[in-house]
Amino acid sequence: MASFLWFLFLILFCRENSAQTQSCQLRWQNQTTISNTFPIILETIEDIEPPGKTLITLIGENVEKIASIQPDSIKELLYINATLVGTSIIINLTEHFVDYEKYEIRERIGIRINFQCTTGTRALDVRQPIKDTNNHDPEFENSPYVFQLPMPFPSNFSLDQLGKIIARDLDISQTYLNFSLDPNHEISGAFAISYLEADPNDPKRHFAKLMTTDALNLVNDTTFYIYATDSQEPIRTSNTTVTIRVDNKNSALRFDEPFYSANCSNLRPEEAHGFVLKFEEGDISLRGGIDNETEWSIKDTSKQYDNNFKISVSLNLEAVQISLVNPPGSFFNESSVVLILSVKKVGSAGSTVIQLTLPGRQSSEIPQMSPEQNKCSDSIPVIITLAVLLGIASAGLIASIVLWRRSRASGAAPEIITTESREEMREVERMDSDVSSNGVPRRSVAFNDTVEEIKVAKL
Ligand SMILES: *[C@@H]1O[C@H](CO)[C@@H](O)[C@H](O)[C@H]1NC(C)=O
Ligand SMILES: *[C@@H]1O[C@H](CO)[C@@H](O)[C@H](O)[C@H]1NC(C)=O
Ligand SMILES: *[C@@H]1O[C@H](CO)[C@@H](O)[C@H](O)[C@H]1NC(C)=O
Ligand SMILES: *[C@@H]1O[C@H](CO)[C@@H](O)[C@H](O)[C@H]1NC(C)=O
Ligand SMILES: *[C@@H]1O[C@H](CO)[C@@H](O)[C@H](O)[C@H]1NC(C)=O
Ligand SMILES: *[C@@H]1O[C@H](CO)[C@@H](O)[C@H](O)[C@H]1NC(C)=O
Ligand SMILES: *[C@@H]1O[C@H](CO)[C@@H](O)[C@H](O)[C@H]1NC(C)=O
Ligand SMILES: *[C@@H]1O[C@H](CO)[C@@H](O)[C@H](O)[C@H]1NC(C)=O
Ligand SMILES: *[C@@H]1O[C@H](CO)[C@@H](O)[C@H](O)[C@H]1NC(C)=O
Ligand SMILES: *[C@@H]1O[C@H](CO)[C@@H](O)[C@H](O)[C@H]1NC(C)=O
């Protein structure tokens, strides 16, 4: 007990002693002395207070001058400052305070004021707590974002591996952002966006994760909005765009239509040689990284007429013509011939199915049906052949994606992955409704007079 009292006495004595040697006295306005061991904590202010505002005025005795002021901040800036006016020590917000949230992450400002006293020195630590208000919008960095992707592009791929999506929110208490997609854009169904993490080196920067949730098979570049929303009232939202640019050169080879049909029921043997097939779906066209080393082939599924077709490719390599080469007499006895047109390059292949309706003998043998029935009975065998043949022809990735998409397109699938069928539908609509086209498909590719003949590889 005695030793404890002695200890207490020692502490009191020492403190009294040091106070005397420093000789500076600091008081509140109500004359209460400010202890020299603890920092003073001022009343909380909001982060939107104007610079120049006086936070507190203290009374100093034996204070000769303010020797120095040390900020306790990341940026080494004085957001509050003290000036000695007579015996008053006025602590104000400085002009730097407007940038406080830009540079700092703590919800309080700290400074140490070093006084030069009549004899000796004294320090005073001041703490200014700050209440965060939501006064900053999230801001996307390096936006808008553009991703150049080959098609088809896989599902479950995180695009932010190719380029970071970052939104910065300066508000000091903001530790999370809600990223979202435009709910009204059809492509939303093929993507998911979510919060990933804050930048470990800068807690104000927030990374988003943008995933494909479906395989993409885009034909055209597509742009959609993404949003970053903060979590404090009043809620603030910012937007930017993400553009998916189709990297055609590195895309898989792909015919624009999985199926082409030509009605040659009126074809006469004398005009057959060199006859250029006209397809109801328009000219055969394809995209992907086509080049002069791409190999073409055409195969008759009945194997009888493999040598009776010639492939010609337009100069830009994107449109294809099929013409007849000396078809034998039996050819005209057929009612239908199904061909597979294939294209191949290193790492990629594509194929499309061509159905020719030929003169045949069926018109007298098959009972006449109403046009609608006719269409129906026509299209069912066609689709079945299509599915079987595409498998046989090892059409691979692309064809299967097309088919799969088609089957899905009947449900409420997102529009983006049904681009092929949409295009097809639009084509039909145009033919029916556009008077100026006179029923001729508009999407005809203008072949140059110089159509390049290419080597036909036999399967
Ligand atoms: C004087 O003011 C200070 C700060 O405002 C306060 O902490 C202290 O309790 C007051 N003292 C008296 C005696 O009112
Ligand atoms: C501190 O604020 C007061 C009140 O706004 C103002 O009169 C004074 O000039 C300011 N002092 C400094 C050093 O900015
Ligand atoms: C802080 O106040 C001192 C005077 O006490 C002045 O010399 C200095 O320029 C001020 N600094 C800022 C950043 O306002
Ligand atoms: C998506 O990829 C992650 C790894 O990146 C894997 O854990 C997950 O199972 C995949 N999900 C699907 C549906 O493939
Ligand atoms: C994120 O934003 C979306 C769309 O605005 C909203 O539906 C969702 O509830 C939000 N999530 C959170 C965690 O705030
Ligand atoms: C994107 O943000 C701008 C600026 O805040 C706003 O004017 C525009 O309406 C927003 N666009 C969308 C699609 O939300
Ligand atoms: C082919 O055209 C002829 C007349 O030109 C028509 O009678 C026949 O129905 C058509 N066949 C198909 C499958 O469209
Ligand atoms: C294909 O074109 C490239 C240049 O685009 C050329 O270097 C190459 O020799 C061509 N190959 C053939 C087989 O024509
Ligand atoms: C085509 O059919 C007709 C009538 O059935 C037949 O007389 C003719 O020999 C056939 N031609 C060939 C080349 O098979
Ligand atoms: C792609 O763009 C072309 C030209 O702008 C347009 O004609 C076509 O309909 C578009 N295709 C799709 C699937 O949007």
Side-chain angles (χ1 to χ4, degrees):
M1 190 65 187
S3 65
F4 176 73
L5 280 177
W6 174 239
F7 180 64
L8 206 66
F9 169 75
L10 250 182
I11 286 177
L12 287 175
F13 177 79
C14 288
R15 280 186 59 181
E16 211 44 41
N17 214 24
S18 63
Q20 268 171 9
T21 54
Q22 280 180 346
S23 82
C24 280
Q25 283 290 324
L26 301 175
R27 297 179 198 281
W28 301 104
Q29 285 295 307
N30 61 15
Q31 298 299 326
T32 314
T33 308
I34 294 172
S35 138
N36 61 3
T37 47
F38 302 108
I40 60 166
I41 297 166
L42 307 183
E43 252 175 67
T44 303
I45 58 165
E46 291 196 330
D47 56 12
I48 48 176
E49 293 288 358
K53 179 191 164 90
T54 299
L55 301 170
I56 196 143
T57 303
L58 304 175
I59 300 158
E61 282 167 26
N62 303 326
V63 174
E64 201 114 285
K65 63 170 189 174
I66 294 174
S68 67
I69 302 175
Q70 294 164 284
D72 173 17
S73 78
I74 294 170
K75 188 76 177 171
E76 296 285 309
L77 278 179
L78 279 179
Y79 301 104
I80 61 178
N81 199 5
T83 40
L84 183 66
V85 181
T87 57
S88 294
I89 298 149
I90 304 170
I91 299 182
N92 276 15
L93 282 179
T94 70
E95 75 271 17
H96 296 305
F97 185 64
V98 293
D99 293 329
Y100 184 76
E101 290 188 281
K102 199 150 135 195
Y103 304 125
E104 307 295 329
I105 55 172
R106 267 197 308 224
E107 291 187 58
R108 64 160 181 79
I109 301 172
I111 57 167
R112 167 166 289 191
I113 308 169
N114 297 306
F115 295 99
Q116 175 77 59
C117 308
T118 330
T119 54
T121 62
R122 172 172 177 176
L124 174 69
D125 286 334
V126 180
R127 302 269 185 276
Q128 174 61 65
I130 296 172
K131 179 176 184 298
D132 185 37
T133 60
N134 192 7
N135 56 330
H136 293 99
D137 289 331
E139 275 177 35
F140 283 101
E141 280 185 13
N142 307 322
S143 64
Y145 303 102
V146 177
F147 296 99
Q148 180 148 325
L149 308 179
M151 296 294 150
F153 192 79
S155 173
N156 200 26
F157 185 92
S158 196
L159 289 186
D160 45 281
Q161 292 173 42
L162 306 176
K164 294 262 178 250
I165 295 177
I166 304 164
R168 193 177 159 88
D169 194 313
L170 295 181
D171 290 316
I172 38 182
S173 63
Q174 193 67 50
T175 55
Y176 165 85
L177 289 177
N178 185 5
F179 291 99
S180 56
L181 296 165
D182 182 352
N184 300 320
H185 199 292
E186 57 224 11
I187 205 162
S188 299
F191 285 97
I193 195 168
S194 58
Y195 184 76
L196 185 60
E197 60 183 0
D199 183 344
N201 301 317
D202 181 352
K204 294 177 198 289
R205 297 172 88 222
H206 303 278
F207 296 125
K209 186 180 176 77
L210 181 64
M211 296 271 298
T212 54
T213 56
D214 240 324
L216 302 180
N217 209 0
L218 298 176
V219 172
N220 291 343
D221 296 355
T222 303
T223 298
F224 53 97
Y225 276 97
I226 57 171
Y227 302 90
T229 306
D230 60 23
S231 50
Q232 212 185 337
E233 290 295 331
I235 299 287
R236 288 167 176 260
T237 297
S238 295
N239 64 53
T240 188
T241 56
V242 170
T243 297
I244 306 297
R245 198 166 278 163
V246 176
D247 181 0
N248 250 320
K249 202 165 155 36
N250 292 311
S251 289
L253 296 169
R254 173 173 60 170
F255 286 95
D256 285 343
E257 303 291 342
F259 175 70
Y260 292 87
S261 59
N263 186 350
C264 308
S265 60
N266 295 326
L267 184 68
R268 290 190 312 260
E270 57 270 26
E271 63 178 13
H273 179 65
F275 183 83
V276 175
L277 300 178
K278 279 258 173 289
F279 298 101
E280 280 165 34
E281 292 77 12
D283 286 319
I284 297 176
S285 55
L286 83 167
R287 58 190 70 237
I290 311 151
D291 57 32
N292 55 2
E293 282 166 22
T294 306
E295 274 183 43
W296 292 82
S297 64
I298 191 163
K299 200 182 111 178
D300 168 21
T301 53
S302 73
K303 297 192 165 56
Q304 294 180 60
Y305 306 110
D306 282 345
N307 296 323
N308 300 114
F309 298 96
K310 190 180 82 178
I311 306 170
S312 309
V313 179
S314 67
L315 279 183
N316 66 5
L317 305 174
E318 282 170 7
V320 184
Q321 274 187 351
I322 311 287
S323 50
L324 298 178
V325 180
N326 294 319
S330 61
F331 184 73
F332 300 92
N333 275 5
E334 308 280 355
S335 54
S336 163
V337 165
V338 178
L339 308 169
I340 295 171
L341 176 63
S342 305
V343 61
K344 195 170 82 176
K345 66 168 185 180
V346 178
S348 178
S351 64
T352 187
V353 173
I354 297 172
Q355 192 198 32
L356 304 184
T357 302
L358 296 174
R361 286 158 299 178
Q362 90 278 33
S363 50
S364 55
E365 288 166 5
I366 293 175
Q368 200 60 44
M369 286 183 287
S370 77
E372 242 163 39
Q373 275 175 312
N374 196 14
K375 229 180 187 173
C376 223
S377 61
D378 238 22
S379 63
I380 286 167
V382 160
I383 287 169
I384 292 167
T385 352
L386 177 66
V388 172
L389 291 179
L390 287 183
I392 294 169
S394 65
L397 185 60
I398 306 171
S400 53
I401 283 177
V402 166
L403 280 176
W404 179 56
R405 293 303 176 207
R406 289 182 151 243
S407 60
R408 286 183 47 140
S410 48
E415 200 179 351
I416 151 213
I417 52 170
T418 61
T419 42
E420 292 86 2
S421 42
R422 279 201 296 138
E423 207 172 48
E424 203 176 28
M425 281 157 62
R426 195 169 303 151
E427 206 60 46
V428 169
E429 204 173 271
R430 267 195 210 155
M431 286 174 63
D432 289 345
S433 61
D434 191 346
V435 184
S436 69
S437 70
N438 290 326
V440 176
R442 263 208 313 203
R443 200 197 48 177
S444 61
V445 180
F447 278 88
N448 291 338
D449 286 339
T450 43
V451 170
E452 215 182 352
E453 264 193 46
I454 56 136
K455 201 176 84 211
V456 176
K458 286 275 165 270
L459 279 182

